[in-house]
Amino acid sequence: MKLRQWSTVGLVAVATVATLNTVPATASRPYDPTTQSLATLGLRHGLHVGTAVNMDALNDASDPQYRRLASSEFASVTAENVMKWESLEPTRGTYNWAPADQFVEFAKRNRQSVRGHVLVWHNQLPAWLTSGVADGSISKQELRELLRKHITTVVNRYKGKIWQWDVVNEAVSDPWDTPSTLHYKGFWAQNLGPGYIADAFRWARAADPKALLFYNDYNIEAFGSGNPADDKTQFVYDMTKSLRAQGVPIDGVGSQGHLGTQYGNFDTLQVTAALKKFAGLGVATAFTEVDVRSQLTEGVQAGNAEEINPRLQASAANFSVLMKACLAVRSCLSYTVWGFSDNHSWVPGWFDDPPEGLATIYDENYQPKRAYQELKSDLIFAGPPYVLPRIAPRPRR
Ligand code: G3I
């Protein structure tokens, strides 16, 4: 990778470290990093620790703790839902910008960077779009034009305000899908063919020359067999390599990081190796939606500590694995949790057989869990020579 293609956010980080190191520490009031936010501790490394934001929770006057933590603990924010197509254009041609505008304003007020989520995804599409395609009233050609218009309109509106855009989300199938050989899946691939991916990045770039443009997916934390027929990480790696070779303006790959304590998961070195391999393609990386859920057995639900404790510990360990790997690789720019408290997590609403939960870093009463403390200690105890300031790519033209 050519160094001149990269700009050094490291300089900012070094300046930040210098500032932090000048915090007056006296014998009576020594500098105590454990009292600092994840945001502040992450920025020591130029790393943006972020969260997804649920706008209903943010606007709930009876829940002030949510707003307090969302604004103070994180350096970066992602809209959990309000930038998705169904939310932005519920009726064809009529945009509902207010919630997304409010979200972007919130970030600005709190000096937080914004990850834009999401331009192209097969879920949370407006009904007028999917039903129009299903009944044939929207042709393939018109659909492609609608996608171009959507990307252009949304990226334009927030031009200059978005640090990283998730341009394409979850385009690749999983081994449990049919057919099991990995392939491009979902509404967009079925209707437009996989060429929509390159188109989407080009349209996003045309609308904002400065945002970092990401591909975002789950189950790509580490490489597996190395065979793209069953190794999703390899499939996404090959796709990214091919897009770069064609000159498509893709700047980063986001690894969502939705883990569960019931699974084997990975060790820090496996995850570090994957991030390094993506770095070798010249793209940035980020953990974009981290949470680590657990099965809520009858014992857990009854408050049995012997069942709860190992889950909380395993969850913390997995949060930490992803954080340490991210810290170790300079092109890993941000680490975003997908909601920060168990009372506002997508997990219980999604996984109910068996029920799952306990996925975030604060409990439902906003008490920090072990996972929060582990993330903090990872950030505090990291430094040279293994953890160095971040290096961000220049947006690719
Ligand atoms: O829009 C309706 C609203 O009108 C209604 O009042 C409300 C009542 O519950 O439901 C609303 O829709 C819900 C929507 O979130 C907005 O709150 C859907 O039922 C619900 O299924 C939807 O879930 C979201 C999910 O994406 C949808 O696929 C989750 O909140 C959100 O966390 C989740 O996020 C995704 C990322 O975008 C991509 N990666 C995976 C991640 C987790 O699934």
Side-chain angles (χ1 to χ4, degrees):
M1 166 187 335
K2 293 185 205 113
L3 260 184
R4 64 188 159 75
Q5 289 179 330
W6 296 71
S7 69
T8 308
V9 281
L11 283 180
V12 178
V14 168
T16 313
V17 173
T19 313
L20 285 176
N21 286 343
T22 59
V23 172
T26 61
S28 61
R29 200 168 56 82
Y31 174 67
D32 178 5
T34 68
T35 62
Q36 303 293 315
S37 65
L38 294 172
T40 301
L41 295 170
L43 290 173
R44 291 175 63 229
H45 311 284
L47 178 70
H48 290 226
V49 180
T51 184
V53 174
N54 172 328
M55 291 307 285
D56 292 338
L58 195 75
N59 289 323
D60 182 352
S62 69
D63 190 1
Q65 284 277 70
Y66 186 91
R67 182 174 274 269
R68 189 180 67 74
L69 288 172
S71 50
S72 62
E73 197 66 41
F74 302 96
S76 176
V77 284
T78 308
E80 185 173 0
N81 285 302
V82 299
M83 282 188 164
K84 293 170 179 171
W85 198 338
E86 74 169 2
S87 173
L88 292 176
E89 196 185 4
T91 307
R92 186 169 180 175
T94 306
Y95 289 90
N96 167 40
W97 295 114
D101 285 358
Q102 195 209 346
F103 162 76
V104 171
E105 252 320 293
F106 169 81
K108 187 177 170 200
R109 227 182 8 261
N110 295 302
R111 296 196 180 83
Q112 292 162 314
S113 61
V114 179
R115 296 200 78 262
H117 179 85
V118 52
L119 296 172
V120 195
W121 191 26
H122 52 265
N123 275 347
Q124 291 175 287
L125 289 169
W128 61 262
L129 182 78
T130 48
S131 59
V133 171
D135 67 20
S137 60
I138 296 177
S139 69
K140 301 289 156 78
Q141 199 185 355
E142 193 182 359
L143 179 66
R144 186 168 184 273
E145 177 52 23
L146 282 167
L147 181 61
R148 190 195 62 75
K149 182 167 160 277
H150 172 73
I151 292 174
T152 306
T153 307
V154 176
V155 175
N156 241 319
R157 182 168 185 96
Y158 298 112
K159 187 175 181 169
K161 296 178 177 170
I162 306 292
W163 179 36
Q164 305 174 7
W165 262 117
D166 286 335
V167 177
V168 177
N169 193 43
E170 301 173 13
V172 180
S173 68
D174 296 286
W176 56 81
D177 289 327
T178 307
S180 64
T181 301
L182 298 188
H183 57 279
Y184 292 105
K185 71 170 181 194
F187 180 83
W188 296 105
Q190 280 155 19
N191 287 296
L192 299 181
Y196 82 88
I197 297 175
D199 289 340
F201 279 96
R202 291 196 169 108
W203 292 328
R205 173 58 74 234
D208 187 340
K210 294 202 177 139
L212 292 176
L213 305 182
F214 274 66
Y215 175 76
N216 191 45
D217 216 330
Y218 57 87
N219 284 354
I220 58 166
E221 295 85 14
F223 284 90
S225 68
N227 178 356
D230 59 28
D231 179 350
K232 191 165 172 182
T233 313
Q234 188 66 46
F235 190 105
V236 170
Y237 176 87
D238 292 348
M239 175 195 79
T240 308
K241 190 174 179 185
S242 153
L243 290 172
R244 297 280 293 184
Q246 296 165 56
V248 174
I250 175 172
D251 303 308
V253 173
S255 174
Q256 294 182 0
H258 291 295
L259 302 178
T261 59
Q262 66 271 38
Y263 305 121
N265 300 330
F266 311 103
D267 63 55
T268 305
L269 298 183
Q270 288 174 302
V271 180
T272 304
L275 296 179
K276 281 193 174 151
K277 208 164 162 196
F278 278 101
L281 294 177
V283 291
T285 49
F287 285 108
T288 55
E289 306 185 10
V290 185
D291 53 16
V292 189
R293 60 188 186 271
S294 287
Q295 292 188 350
L296 304 178
T297 59
E298 281 180 17
V300 168
Q301 292 182 55
N304 180 344
E306 287 180 14
E307 294 203 26
I308 294 171
N309 284 336
R311 287 174 171 78
L312 294 181
Q313 288 183 10
S315 181
N318 282 298
F319 271 102
S320 176
V321 162
L322 301 188
M323 176 57 87
K324 284 189 288 220
C326 186
L327 282 167
V329 181
R330 301 183 72 182
S331 52
C332 184
L333 304 181
S334 56
Y335 182 106
T336 297
V337 294
W338 203 244
F340 55 87
S341 59
D342 283 342
N343 55 338
H344 295 296
S345 162
W346 69 292
V347 168
W350 207 262
F351 301 95
D352 54 6
D353 187 21
E356 296 185 41
L358 298 176
T360 70
I361 59 176
Y362 289 85
D363 70 16
E364 61 280 4
N365 298 311
Y366 299 108
Q367 293 308 302
K369 296 194 228 169
R370 188 165 289 137
Y372 171 89
Q373 306 291 14
E374 287 304 306
L375 290 183
K376 220 170 197 184
S377 65
D378 289 339
L379 293 165
I380 291 171
F381 299 129
Y386 297 118
V387 175
L388 298 169
R390 310 294 91 187
I391 306 180
R394 289 225 176 89
R396 195 173 208 216
R397 292 305 155 96

